[in-house]
Amino acid sequence: MHHALGILSWAQSKDGGGPDVIPALGNMLRDSVEGSADALARAFSDPGLRIGVTGLSRAGKTVFITSLVANMIQRGRMAAFGPEREGRIEAAYLQPQPDDTVARFDYESHLAAMTGAEAHWPMGTRSVSQLRLSLRVTPKSRLARLTGPRRLHLDITDYPGEWLLDLGLLSQSYAQWSKASLKQVIAKSDILPEARDFLGLATEAVAEARHDEIQAAALARSFTAYLHAARAAGFSQLTPGRFILPGDLHGSPALTFAPLPVESPKRGSIAREAARRFEAYKLQIVRPFFRAHFAKIDRQVVLVDLLSAMQGGPEILEDLRQAMAGILSVFRHGANGPFSALLGQKTDRILFAATKADYLHQSQHSAYANLLEALVQEAKQRADYRGAKTRAMAIASLRSTVEERREIDGADVDLVVGRVGLDTQMRALFAGELPAHPDQILAPARAGARDWSDHEFATTDFAPPHNSLRAGFGPPHIRLDAAAEFLLADRMG
């Protein structure tokens, strides 16, 4: 660990300077003008609603979108969705997505994977994709009905939550990002050999006088290996996101840098080139993603695999809380937010959804939702104050279990039972007793507890049920209709 001591002292020193203000303001003004032109074009076309769906790895983005669309087309399980309950939805059908340069969300393949005779979970989100679902709706008021049915386009955008974390880099300098990243690497060096390997390479790189491309590539590979290992261990605060999911940028110079403990790098040094590439990453990758996709979102769904984080322990849960705070800061409205000139009133509703509610008995769903609400409380209060409506709920986009009560050691225990693997083997699960008050979990996590003293949580990987579709009904779910009510119903009046 001797090689980490100098890096640690540097990482704990005063932050380096922030990015240039004038270029940042210019970029924001340009983006704002582009957003205004886009809004004007939309005003003269059929009304649309742009919905963004994000969440960190294994949160269930693909399954959420697939099941939502399937249940909007076949609405037999949508009793809590007002427009359907009132009989006002005449038709729902898929159309080509509006952006010809973005991949189409592969709805049909995902639905077949989730609901067929050999049902399995579809491949997760690895890049941006879109889907357009159009609805023909009878207006609510008698006067509006005189003009006939209305059409509403739902444009759903799916993108990796790891990329969303990168938006926080726009307000950071290379020195600031390096300090924060190196502190995280050092904190994990006791449990991850990849962290120790990277710290050794970083120490050697700083000692070199000149930039060397072979050394830079080795540093980037080592840092990427650390990020993958940290994600596999359950951690969430991992940037740059494209290092984990590079897409077609694999091996490019924009992804060939790493954090180094140098505040004022010398000309020609490896740290100076890393700082240049960090700025190029923001300018050429992060900002275009923000302009093209995120800045245009009207309503946002944030999915959270809270149960797996709880099973990982207090450190994993606290890391998730901090990562979510970083993600949700992007939704900040008003003069104090770095993105307020772009977002304005665009994102007017945010749904926070704790996924895998089917892994818990229904008697614990309220506590599960309360825990999520407490986890994102700061961001939720900020959005509420600025006028955006928010809601936290526990959902299962595709219900994979049934509930049972069994006697265990002389006591009745509420369980869930589901299929495990690709065969018909069934397994019962008691995930743990959620606390009556969220602080019983969040307080020890914030305090740096090593494990849960009064709680024990468990989870497993349930498979989707076989042949879960039937005529007129979408896939079985928990509260997907309530989610649709919050996200869509007010625009279908």
Side-chain angles (χ1 to χ4, degrees):
M1 282 293 293
H2 66 278
H3 57 262
L5 296 180
I7 293 178
L8 177 59
S9 63
W10 179 85
Q12 292 177 335
S13 66
K14 184 178 179 182
D15 285 347
D20 293 339
V21 175
I22 299 293
L25 290 175
N27 286 330
M28 292 174 70
L29 180 59
R30 178 188 62 194
D31 294 348
S32 182
V33 171
E34 291 177 358
S36 298
D38 178 70
L40 185 62
R42 292 173 64 193
F44 291 96
S45 61
D46 287 329
L49 195 61
R50 288 171 168 158
I51 302 172
V53 179
T54 196
L56 299 178
S57 178
R58 296 175 61 85
K61 298 178 291 295
T62 300
V63 178
F64 176 87
I65 295 173
T66 304
S67 187
L68 176 65
V69 171
N71 277 285
M72 291 297 295
I73 295 174
Q74 301 289 337
R75 296 176 296 280
R77 302 185 194 271
M78 301 294 280
F81 184 42
E84 169 61 21
R85 188 176 60 249
E86 296 158 2
R88 296 191 295 108
I89 302 180
E90 297 186 2
Y93 46 94
L94 294 173
Q95 294 200 86
Q97 75 269 28
D99 192 336
D100 292 330
T101 65
V102 176
R104 181 182 184 271
F105 181 84
D106 195 359
Y107 164 76
E108 293 80 7
S109 294
H110 296 326
L111 183 63
M114 290 164 42
T115 62
E118 299 181 359
H120 59 276
W121 299 115
M123 184 176 294
T125 302
R126 302 191 66 84
S127 62
V128 178
S129 61
Q130 288 181 342
L131 193 69
R132 168 169 280 192
L133 177 68
S134 295
L135 304 170
R136 192 165 66 243
V137 184
T138 301
K140 214 170 187 180
S141 72
R142 292 182 179 179
L143 182 61
R145 289 178 187 175
L146 296 177
T147 61
R150 295 176 178 175
R151 186 165 62 167
L152 175 68
H153 300 304
L154 304 181
D155 293 325
I156 304 173
T157 301
D158 178 27
Y159 48 87
E162 287 79 1
W163 294 4
L164 190 59
L165 280 168
D166 281 350
L167 294 181
L169 301 180
L170 293 175
S171 60
Q172 296 181 41
S173 68
Y174 173 72
Q176 290 170 331
W177 171 74
S178 288
K179 284 182 174 67
S181 297
L182 288 171
K183 287 175 70 173
Q184 292 171 5
V185 176
I186 293 166
K188 299 177 180 65
S189 60
D190 290 339
I191 59 173
L192 297 177
E194 293 84 357
R196 296 191 293 273
D197 292 343
F198 171 72
L199 290 173
L201 287 178
T203 300
E204 294 175 8
V206 171
E208 297 290 334
R210 302 290 297 176
H211 169 75
D212 178 84
E213 193 60 40
I214 295 177
Q215 188 178 40
L219 265 175
R221 285 195 301 271
S222 181
F223 186 62
T224 301
Y226 152 75
L227 292 175
H228 280 286
R231 186 173 73 156
F235 291 97
S236 302
Q237 293 188 87
L238 305 170
T239 59
R242 295 275 185 155
F243 279 45
I244 299 174
L245 295 173
D248 57 0
L249 295 171
H250 180 72
S252 67
L255 268 61
T256 311
F257 64 90
L260 292 171
V262 179
E263 190 159 323
S264 300
K266 296 180 181 179
R267 185 182 300 275
S269 67
I270 193 169
R272 184 69 168 261
E273 179 63 13
R276 187 195 69 78
R277 292 179 180 184
F278 175 80
E279 294 300 327
Y281 181 85
K282 294 194 299 181
L283 179 65
Q284 299 174 22
I285 299 174
V286 181
R287 181 164 288 281
F289 165 70
F290 176 77
R291 286 202 310 267
H293 304 291
F294 187 74
K296 299 177 180 179
I297 297 299
D298 297 310
R299 295 189 175 172
Q300 182 68 48
V301 179
V302 181
L303 304 176
V304 185
D305 183 3
L306 189 52
L307 193 58
S308 294
M310 292 160 58
Q311 182 193 28
E315 185 180 14
I316 299 297
L317 182 63
E318 174 61 11
D319 185 73
L320 173 64
R321 187 190 69 81
Q322 294 181 16
M324 293 304 299
I327 288 177
L328 298 174
S329 68
V330 178
F331 297 105
R332 186 182 303 141
H333 299 282
N336 292 327
F339 306 106
S340 59
L342 297 170
L343 293 179
Q345 297 299 314
K346 287 286 261 186
T347 306
D348 58 0
R349 294 200 176 198
I350 305 172
L351 172 67
F352 304 108
T355 58
K356 300 183 180 178
D358 54 332
Y359 285 32
L360 294 165
H361 190 272
Q362 62 178 325
S363 60
Q364 297 207 75
H365 288 182
S366 178
Y368 194 42
N370 289 341
L371 181 58
L372 174 65
E373 187 162 7
L375 187 81
V376 299
Q377 181 179 24
E378 182 180 344
K380 186 178 185 301
Q381 288 176 340
R382 183 169 58 242
D384 290 340
Y385 177 77
R386 295 297 181 185
K389 293 186 178 181
T390 63
R391 185 159 302 168
M393 64 177 64
I395 71 167
S397 303
L398 175 61
R399 184 167 191 163
S400 59
T401 66
V402 294
E403 296 180 348
E404 284 189 9
R405 171 168 287 193
R406 296 184 183 179
E407 183 177 327
I408 301 177
D409 296 331
D412 288 336
V413 179
D414 291 326
L415 306 167
V416 296
V417 179
R419 186 171 66 92
V420 178
L422 298 178
D423 53 22
T424 57
Q425 178 186 356
M426 303 295 284
R427 180 180 298 173
L429 172 68
F430 176 69
E433 190 69 34
L434 297 184
H437 196 284
D439 275 350
Q440 293 178 257
I441 291 290
L442 296 180
R446 288 194 185 100
R450 303 297 296 180
D451 52 42
W452 304 117
S453 58
D454 300 324
H455 302 279
E456 186 174 344
F457 302 104
T459 186
T460 189
D461 291 325
F462 287 120
H466 285 138
N467 297 315
S468 58
L469 290 183
R470 55 194 180 98
F473 292 82
H477 61 81
I478 297 176
R479 296 186 193 88
L480 203 59
D481 49 352
E485 173 72 13
F486 173 72
L487 290 169
L488 312 175
D490 67 306
R491 296 293 293 269
M492 301 172 68

